[in-house]
């Protein structure tokens, strides 16, 4: 979905309320397509089970943004690519990271290593490890 005047905050409180209860929102297109305040409210209210965000509004989010404190949100670093080799390489690296997390393991390329000691992250990884049967 490209960002243009007609798609700015395309997904807002109304659209989030129309989603199936317990759904997850994933945005890998453009941050401003999703109304960040409405997303935070829907997540806090338990309307959505979670969110996976490769892009945000604003980008980058300030360190104290509420999304970073939510256990049901994953924010990844947005990457721009211009060559086929970059796309395949980055896609592969991202997939390896997602597979590691799904297995309850720490992904290889964590930028903010301070999060690795957080009890909530450790509990989340343990939960995924149990689900994966490892």
């Amino acid at each position: 979905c490209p960002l243009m005047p007609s798609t700015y905050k395309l997904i807002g409180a109304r659209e989030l309320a129309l989603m199936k209860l317990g759904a997850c929102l994933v945005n890998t297109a453009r941050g401003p397509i999703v109304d960040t305040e409405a997303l935070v409210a829907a997540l806090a209210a338990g309307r959505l089970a979670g969110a996976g965000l490769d892009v945000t509004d604003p980008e980058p989010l300030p360190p104290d943004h509420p999304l970073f404190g939510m256990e049901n949100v994953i924010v990844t670093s947005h990457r721009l690519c211009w060559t086929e080799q970059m796309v395949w390489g980055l896609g592969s690296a991202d997939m390896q990271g997602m597979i590691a997390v799904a297995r309850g393991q720490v992904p290889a390329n964590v930028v903010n290593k301070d999060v690795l000691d957080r009890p909530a992250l450790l509990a989340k990884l343990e939960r995924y490890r149990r689900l994966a049967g490892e």
Side-chain angles (χ1 to χ4, degrees):
C1 183
L3 179 60
M4 26 201 242
S6 62
T7 63
Y8 180 75
K9 294 192 179 183
L10 178 69
I11 307 296
R14 178 186 168 280
E15 292 74 23
L16 293 169
L18 292 171
M19 292 175 68
K20 180 179 176 181
L21 186 64
C24 289
L25 180 127
V26 176
N27 185 8
T28 61
R30 298 288 178 256
I33 291 170
V34 175
D35 181 333
T36 303
E37 289 181 23
L39 177 61
V40 168
L43 289 162
R47 176 84 186 107
L48 297 179
L53 306 170
D54 179 54
V55 291
T56 58
D57 182 33
E59 193 169 69
L61 290 173
D64 61 343
H65 196 278
L67 287 172
F68 289 133
M70 297 182 152
E71 295 301 316
N72 54 348
V73 176
I74 295 175
V75 180
T76 63
S77 58
H78 181 62
R79 298 184 177 179
L80 299 173
C81 302
W82 297 282
T83 68
E84 187 173 321
Q85 292 83 2
M86 287 178 67
V87 171
W88 285 107
L90 293 175
S92 176
D94 289 344
M95 289 303 300
Q96 292 301 318
M98 287 187 278
I99 290 168
V101 170
R103 290 180 174 160
Q105 303 165 348
V106 174
N109 300 310
V110 175
V111 175
N112 181 3
K113 301 218 185 280
D114 292 342
V115 302
L116 298 177
D117 295 328
R118 291 185 182 172
L121 174 66
L122 297 173
K124 184 184 294 188
L125 291 176
E126 179 58 31
R127 201 167 48 246
Y128 292 157
R129 199 170 13 260
R130 283 194 309 269
L131 287 172
E134 294 187 11

